[in-house]
Every structure is written in structure tokens, then in C-alpha cells.
Amino acid sequence: MSLQPNKILGAVLAVAVVAFAIDFVSDQIFAKQEPTAPGYVVDMKAAPTAVASQAPADAKAPAAATTANASADVAPIADRLKTADAAAGEKTAKVCTACHSFANTGDNKVGPGLWEVVNRKPGSHEGFKYSQGMTTFGETHTWDFATLDVYLTNPKAEVPGNKMAFAGLKKPEDRANVIAYLRSLSANPAPLP
Ligand code: HEC
């Protein structure tokens, strides 16, 4: 009987043993970490047009009057302000205070002071160094209610090149509440539209 088959079998087993050994040792050295969250999250709320095309049209939003809104099925800010809650807006606006002061001293932080921001010219608050993008925007715009509504939906999209590192408030009623709160930050609040 030839020993050749046994030798071949032996060699195969030896390779298998070495492979298992390497696998075992490398498991000891390199701890496996299962990701706790998926590698990336597709934020559907960040794509209002895509969502809008799937969502059924909102009955209380007349399509003709929504030019100032990012999404076609959102009621105009003039309507939403009628039911807006400035106190709720103050709570939502807590996220802004990381960068903005709301105090009537007009202090600048990472962002410009927001006291008296309604109906102000964008990029005009004293002592704040604005981006070129915001300064250019101010040449043709005013922070009226509708402009604030669009800006706060998606700051980067509305004012290209501006340096406010904030993703935006996606919920229309959150924006209305925050804008109602911003309106209150004044010695003489602007009349409601
Ligand atoms: C991560 C910091 C940061 C956060 C959070 C932030 N902002 Fe800003 N914001 C800025 C900066 C910086 C600017 C100036 C942008 C520029 O010059 O391009 C700015 C500009 C603005 C302006 C324009 C003001 C002007 O004088 O023209 C408004 C209005 C505004 N922010 C509102 C808000 C509101 C409301 C919130 C919360 C919902 C918010 N921001 C959250 C940093 C921030």
C-alpha cells in the first residue's frame, strides 16, 4: 500500500490546523466590534421634496400660497403664526443658544445676537463678522417672517456659503413657534403678517 494518500491527507489537515490557529489567535488580538448603528442613515426629512412627493397633499395648505415655503404642502408662515406658541418656540430655540444670544444686550457668540432680528437686514448686526455668503444675501433680503421660515428650514440651501453650522428645523410648526419667539425679542415686536 502506498503512503502517498496519507501524506496528502496529512498535509491538508496540517494546513487546516494552522488556518484555525491563525483565526483563533487573530480573534484574540483584534477584538471584533459589531457596529451599534448602521453605517449611514438616510435622513428622509432632509429631502423635503422627496417626502412631499410621497405624502398626500395637506388639505389645509393651498398650493398657490406656498411659494415662500420649501415644501409645497406646508401652510404659509402667515397662517402658521396665527396658532404659533412663542413659549414652545423658546424651548425649541434652546438648540440655538449654543451659538446665539437672545438677550437684549445684543451680544455676539459663535453667531450674531438675535435680539431684534425680525425685519433686520441679514448680515448687519454690529460687531459680528459674517460670511461673504450672508453679506451678499443681505443685499437683496430682509429677515421677514417668510425669509426666516425658509432659512430655518435649511440654512445652507437658502443662503449658500453662510457659516451657520445648523441642519435646520424640519417641522413647520417648530419653525413657526421659534419665529413667534424671535418676534418677541424686541422692544417693539413687528406686527403679525
Ligand atoms: C452651530 C452654531 C449655530 C446654531 C446651533 C444656530 N446658529 Fe444661527 N447662525 C450661526 C452663525 C455662525 C451665523 C452667521 C452666519 C454667516 O455669517 O454666514 C448665524 C446666523 C443666523 C441668522 C442670521 C442673523 C443675521 O444677523 O443676519 C439667524 C436669523 C439665525 N442664525 C437663527 C438661528 C436660529 C433661530 C437657530 C436655532 C433654531 C440657530 N440660528 C442656530 C450659528 C448657529
Side-chain angles (χ1 to χ4, degrees):
M1 180 185 134
S2 160
L3 286 177
Q4 200 63 20
N6 285 349
K7 279 191 193 160
I8 293 171
L9 189 64
V12 169
L13 282 175
V15 168
V17 166
V18 170
F20 276 125
I22 290 173
D23 189 44
F24 178 80
V25 171
S26 72
D27 273 358
Q28 306 302 306
I29 299 173
F30 306 106
K32 283 186 196 155
Q33 287 180 341
E34 296 298 335
T36 50
Y40 59 89
V41 176
V42 180
D43 183 5
M44 291 306 290
K45 283 178 288 180
T49 45
V51 174
S53 65
Q54 290 161 11
D58 185 342
K60 51 185 195 314
T66 55
T67 44
N69 285 296
S71 175
D73 59 359
V74 174
I77 184 67
D79 287 357
R80 280 183 287 134
L81 277 176
K82 287 182 188 137
T83 52
D85 177 351
E90 180 173 9
K91 286 201 191 105
T92 307
K94 285 269 186 299
V95 292
C96 322
T97 60
C99 303
H100 291 286
S101 161
F102 294 125
N104 63 2
T105 45
D107 301 350
N108 295 316
K109 291 164 71 181
V110 173
L114 292 182
W115 178 262
E116 299 275 13
V117 73
V118 171
N119 288 339
R120 186 158 92 193
K121 179 176 143 80
S124 69
H125 191 257
E126 211 186 317
F128 187 78
K129 203 170 176 321
Y130 289 93
S131 65
Q132 189 56 49
M134 186 59 81
T135 308
T136 306
F137 185 77
E139 287 164 12
T140 50
H141 292 80
T142 300
W143 286 130
D144 54 25
F145 298 119
T147 306
L148 281 168
D149 188 33
V150 182
Y151 180 61
L152 293 178
T153 308
N154 187 343
K156 281 271 140 43
E158 174 64 0
V159 183
N162 94 92
K163 59 179 180 177
M164 169 153 134
F166 181 69
L169 295 170
K170 300 305 174 199
K171 283 201 202 142
E173 66 269 33
D174 282 354
R175 291 196 304 277
N177 293 344
V178 166
I179 291 168
Y181 173 61
L182 292 179
R183 173 178 173 266
S184 75
L185 302 177
S186 169
N188 204 349
L192 283 171

